[in-house]
Amino acid sequence: EGYESAISCLKGGYDLLPNDEAIKAKIAEYSEYQPVALYDLEYFNSGSSKQFGDKKFYRVDNGVKLNDGTTYEKGICMGYYEWEEYKIDGAYKVFTGRLGMSFEDRSANRVKESIKVYGDDVLLYTSTSFLGGVEPEDFSIDITGIDKLKIERQSAENHITDLYMVNALLYK
């Protein structure tokens, strides 16, 4: 914890002493602790439990507005009956983020949607069942030692709602 403050302080020192290799090395060391956005990772494997008409996971980089009215710069829209798996090779300890329905679908009450997160095929987290009136949900999952992280969207039936994952970060 506090790596961001340490980096900022060290960069100030490096500006004053630009040839100091010890400061440069510490900046590099603390930079390793910065989180990695799931949005920026390539998935290792993906799939669907349905054959036709599936809506896939896709990246949204022009703003995501969740049902509580909060807008995020980027996010991942998760299609129904879909999953993505990421090869993380035990490099991270914590996976955090926020899940929610789209603003446009905020009153949809017909279908319960949920997200499950697996680590090496073991269920680590199940979200709230989302439908109209359910607030976005923050999550924090211990993924220490996990090699493959799988995110799966489940729906009770075909749906018209969009679920989004925003601020999804992996921490070392």
Side-chain angles (χ1 to χ4, degrees):
E1 290 185 33
Y3 64 87
E4 292 169 325
S5 297
I7 292 170
S8 178
C9 180
L10 288 165
K11 283 183 177 179
Y14 193 69
D15 288 344
L16 297 172
L17 302 166
N19 296 323
D20 191 314
E21 290 300 316
I23 294 175
K24 186 177 178 180
K26 282 295 181 185
I27 291 171
E29 177 186 336
Y30 286 128
S31 293
E32 286 291 315
Y33 294 111
Q34 291 182 325
V36 172
L38 187 70
Y39 179 94
D40 293 328
L41 293 180
E42 290 290 330
Y43 65 83
F44 174 70
N45 192 11
S46 69
S48 170
S49 61
K50 296 287 182 182
Q51 294 293 323
F52 303 104
D54 287 341
K55 189 174 187 181
K56 308 284 186 207
F57 280 24
Y58 63 91
R59 277 41 180 176
V60 179
D61 59 5
N62 58 353
V64 173
K65 188 173 183 180
L66 296 184
N67 63 326
D68 66 351
T70 306
T71 300
Y72 300 85
E73 183 179 336
K74 297 177 180 180
I76 298 173
C77 182
M78 296 171 287
Y80 66 96
Y81 299 111
E82 291 291 323
W83 57 271
E84 282 187 352
E85 187 175 58
Y86 299 84
K87 193 170 169 121
I88 59 173
D89 298 324
Y92 304 98
K93 294 181 181 176
V94 180
F95 175 41
T96 66
R98 181 166 238 218
L99 298 166
M101 294 174 65
S102 72
F103 187 76
E104 293 77 21
D105 294 328
R106 66 188 176 275
S107 62
N109 286 309
R110 292 182 299 282
V111 179
K112 291 184 177 181
E113 315 282 349
S114 65
I115 302 298
K116 292 188 177 196
V117 177
Y118 297 86
D120 297 331
D121 297 321
V122 174
L123 180 63
L124 303 175
Y125 168 79
T126 302
S127 75
T128 297
S129 289
F130 289 98
L131 48 88
V134 174
E135 295 283 331
E137 176 176 298
D138 294 319
F139 64 88
S140 180
I141 306 166
D142 181 356
I143 57 170
T144 304
I146 298 297
D147 290 322
K148 291 182 183 174
L149 183 69
K150 181 179 178 182
I151 301 164
E152 179 179 70
R153 177 174 177 173
Q154 296 191 331
S155 178
E157 57 188 80
N158 289 348
H159 79 311
I160 58 168
T161 61
D162 285 331
L163 282 185
Y164 290 94
M165 182 179 291
V166 296
N167 291 347
L169 300 171
L170 298 134
Y171 291 87
K172 291 186 176 187

